[in-house]
Amino acid sequence: MIIIKTPEEIELIARAGEIVAQCQKLLVDEVKPGMTTLELDKLTEQCILDLGGVPAFKGYRNYPNSLCASINEEVVHGIPSKRVLKDGDIIGLDVGAIVEGFYGDGAVTVAVGEVPTSIQTLIRVTREALHKGLEQAVVGNRLSDVSFAIQTHVEKHGYSVVRDFVGHGIGRQLHEEPQVPNYGRPGQGPRLKSGMTLAIEPMVNMGGSGVKILQDGWTAVTCDRSLSAHFEHTITIEANGPPRILTGCV
Ligand code: MF3
Ligand code: CO
């Protein structure tokens, strides 16, 4: 069942999303060669708490940290560690916060120092794919119109979308119905309605779409070790016009 939120509930998700966006802004400003992902995790946790939120990921299914930090061929759910970031790495920064029981969830991918144009393009196309999906997140469309728009943009550039992880409904739970795949034929699935809140999150690989999970039980990596990028926004479907983005515009 897809839970439609009241305006009051949406405001709480928006407050959680605002905290996510503020933390991402801080992380994007702070990330640089020589830092560890554990340092980024500490910044994230402090930022969420300072802004009056609760870290959403820490303790979720025993996930140990407040940040998911996924470097290079890591797709999602990279666990912060003493690994030192190098010039030329890319890093996905996925942050979740809870305000009065409601979740916000968002991710960005950024370059650490300088990266070649080809890698900048992977990041740009993934961000664009998210926005292509958001353009379709309007009343009357079906859910897979979002999925199809994302897949089409990604494949046009010769990349592949990850299939083993998907976006999701969000609200009182981090993961609610419906699942939001980043691939699929248009015109399928539920019709989008005002007050639905969704986390839309394309994960895009430079090579093949296959992923596997490392021994730590969390970190997803590309099977072919090609680079991967990830962007995510929590949004709400509006009665008229484009969705409201609840996780800012980093
Ligand atoms: N944005 C991710 C998701 O929606 C983050 C989950 S990390 C977890 O699945 F640790 F909380 F699982
Ligand atoms: Co998510």
Side-chain angles (χ1 to χ4, degrees):
M1 190 192 60
I2 301 175
I3 302 168
I4 303 290
K5 277 73 181 183
T6 66
E8 293 74 20
E9 290 171 333
I10 290 168
E11 286 318 307
L12 295 177
I13 299 171
R15 280 171 57 195
E18 176 66 24
I19 292 173
V20 168
Q22 294 287 339
C23 293
Q24 285 176 334
K25 190 170 186 306
L26 172 74
L27 292 170
V28 169
D29 288 346
E30 290 295 322
V31 68
K32 48 186 77 67
M35 281 187 94
T36 69
T37 50
L38 215 39
E39 290 172 315
L40 294 174
D41 177 64
K42 292 279 169 287
L43 285 173
T44 307
E45 181 159 329
Q46 198 55 53
C47 180
I48 294 171
L49 294 171
D50 286 348
L51 295 173
V54 174
F57 300 161
K58 198 172 192 169
Y60 181 85
R61 301 190 179 199
N62 291 324
Y63 185 77
N65 294 86
S66 299
L67 174 71
C68 296
S70 306
I71 303 168
N72 298 338
E73 76 282 0
E74 296 173 359
V75 178
V76 285
H77 302 165
I79 299 177
S81 72
K82 290 180 178 159
R83 177 169 173 180
V84 177
L85 294 172
K86 304 192 309 293
D87 188 54
D89 284 340
I90 61 172
I91 183 167
L93 300 163
D94 193 344
V95 177
I98 309 171
V99 169
E100 296 186 31
F102 284 85
Y103 284 80
D105 185 10
V108 294
T109 298
V110 294
V112 181
E114 299 279 317
V115 303
T117 316
S118 60
I119 300 177
Q120 291 172 23
T121 304
L122 171 72
I123 294 173
R124 175 177 57 77
V125 168
T126 307
R127 188 194 306 107
E128 287 170 355
L130 170 57
H131 288 274
K132 296 281 181 187
L134 297 184
E135 283 174 18
Q136 298 300 317
V138 295
V139 164
N141 272 3
R142 288 186 185 268
L143 185 65
S144 82
D145 296 330
V146 174
S147 312
F148 177 73
I150 292 170
Q151 179 181 16
T152 301
H153 189 69
V154 168
E155 293 183 351
K156 188 170 94 187
H157 290 270
Y159 305 134
S160 54
V161 293
V162 170
R163 290 159 184 262
D164 291 1
F165 296 95
V166 295
H168 48 94
I170 183 166
R172 264 188 209 283
Q173 306 213 57
L174 177 58
H175 297 132
E176 294 183 353
E177 286 182 35
Q179 293 198 353
V180 186
N182 297 299
Y183 59 91
R185 299 152 51 81
Q188 318 282 307
R191 278 199 194 280
L192 299 177
K193 292 198 170 64
S194 171
M196 286 183 178
T197 45
L198 303 172
I200 300 178
E201 50 177 321
M203 291 146 268
V204 174
N205 298 349
M206 235 178 205
S209 63
V211 301
K212 65 175 195 177
I213 296 178
L214 298 183
Q215 291 289 343
D216 63 21
W218 280 102
T219 313
V221 299
T222 56
C223 291
D224 60 10
R225 300 293 197 257
S226 66
L227 296 177
S228 187
H230 176 211
F231 282 84
E232 175 175 26
H233 272 312
T234 295
I235 61 128
T236 185
I237 307 291
E238 295 282 11
N240 292 293
R244 176 175 169 204
I245 297 175
L246 304 175
T247 38
C249 46
V250 180

